Amino acid sequence: MNREGERGQTLPLWTLSIAATLTLLFFMTNYTNTVRWQIRAQSAADSAAAAGISTDANMYNEKTTLQFAAAVEETRMRYLLQSMVNVVNDPSHCGSSSACDADYVKLLAAYNAAQAKYSQVVSSMTAAQAYAGGGLVNGADKAVALSSTSCAVFDCAFTYTTKIKGASESVDVIACKKIPLLSPTLLGNAAGATFSAIGHSLAVLSPINETFVPGNVNPSTGVAYQPDESPAGAGVSSEYGVSFKSLSVNMTWYVAGSVRPAAAVAGYGCS
């Protein structure tokens, strides 16, 4: 048998295999690049929409915090009023007339201080109401606009198109960028051909309800979140104290939530 005539017979198979492998590698690289940019576009849109809705979420949360502070001060004032009534109507807990007078002065000073704090909280709540009355009035558009300028936080590679929907309190953002294809001529496209990486996100206010008892023990510290108080001094009757164990506050917190957006319509920017 002539072995010389058999040499090189596998070369065409190797050539075809290498060509097929390179072709597959090319398409995989192109596909991976497309997916990578699509994921990046969606992340950019999600971040921008969340930033927009968070302006109102922050304001609502501040209002909730003020409502909690008002409830604490109101409870403190109620206990202090009752304590002063107890000093007047049942002086036996004081021990002596002079001790009762001293306790009453301390309780009155504590009440006046609580009343001043309560007035400050109410004033802050009144001011906050103008920014938490609904309709996305806290500059959601300005927050989203930072996506194109604050490159250390957001992805400035994209063009952002934003729709602020005050009635439904939602922020609709489309992030778009035209990405050059890898070797477009191999894909049958003209030189310089691109594809559009598009991310679309719709952010809304998402409420989280909580019932909080300030007098409960904080498991991290072992002490109450809002410890009992003795404005008249240590060692006096509990009739003159302030306790928050019976106070239960229903609070609503807000975070940026996402819902499925409607299909994107023509007119959004892309560069």
Side-chain angles (χ1 to χ4, degrees):
M1 178 177 287
N2 186 2
R3 296 291 182 181
E4 293 294 329
E6 295 180 1
R7 289 183 177 180
Q9 290 185 7
T10 59
L11 182 59
L13 294 177
W14 278 102
T15 302
L16 291 174
S17 298
I18 293 173
T21 300
L22 292 176
T23 300
L24 180 61
L25 180 61
F26 167 76
F27 281 106
M28 286 295 296
T29 303
N30 206 62
Y31 176 75
T32 302
N33 185 56
T34 302
V35 172
R36 179 176 68 89
W37 275 101
Q38 287 297 146
I39 294 175
R40 183 173 169 180
Q42 187 59 49
S43 297
D46 289 340
S47 298
I53 202 70
S54 292
T55 58
D56 266 48
N58 290 341
M59 198 65 236
Y60 278 111
N61 291 338
E62 181 176 344
K63 185 178 178 181
T64 297
T65 303
L66 290 170
Q67 290 172 340
F68 170 74
V72 169
E73 292 301 333
E74 183 177 345
T75 300
R76 181 180 285 116
M77 291 166 60
R78 289 177 182 273
Y79 269 93
L80 291 171
L81 280 174
Q82 185 60 50
S83 297
M84 288 187 285
V85 171
N86 293 339
V87 170
V88 174
N89 293 339
D90 191 5
S92 61
H93 293 289
C94 304
S96 66
S97 177
S98 59
C100 283
D101 290 342
D103 289 344
Y104 187 89
V105 170
K106 293 177 181 177
L107 292 170
L108 180 60
Y111 176 83
N112 288 334
Q115 186 181 43
K117 291 180 180 178
Y118 183 80
S119 297
Q120 291 175 352
V121 172
V122 171
S123 177
S124 297
M125 289 176 62
T126 302
Q129 181 59 36
Y131 302 98
L136 297 179
V137 295
N138 295 293
D141 55 334
K142 296 180 177 63
V144 177
L146 294 174
S147 303
S148 301
T149 57
S150 300
C151 302
V153 179
F154 298 100
D155 195 336
C156 296
F158 294 88
T159 299
Y160 295 90
T161 303
T162 307
K163 291 184 179 179
I164 308 297
K165 302 177 181 179
S168 59
E169 291 191 304
S170 63
V171 178
D172 192 326
V173 176
I174 296 177
C176 184
K177 181 176 177 60
K178 294 180 179 179
I179 310 299
L181 290 171
L182 300 177
S183 300
T185 54
L186 292 180
L187 299 175
N189 296 304
T194 61
F195 71 92
S196 295
I198 302 174
H200 191 186
S201 183
L202 180 62
V204 297
L205 287 172
S206 181
I208 299 175
N209 297 313
E210 174 189 17
T211 299
F212 182 63
V213 179
N216 283 350
V217 174
N218 183 345
S220 299
T221 62
V223 299
Y225 293 100
Q226 192 75 40
D228 291 347
E229 301 171 357
S230 182
V236 301
S237 172
S238 59
E239 296 290 325
Y240 306 153
V242 178
S243 175
F244 299 96
K245 293 184 176 67
S246 60
L247 174 61
S248 179
V249 185
N250 295 321
M251 298 185 293
T252 302
W253 305 101
Y254 292 88
V255 297
S258 295
V259 296
R260 185 180 181 87
V265 296
Y268 55 83
C270 197
S271 60

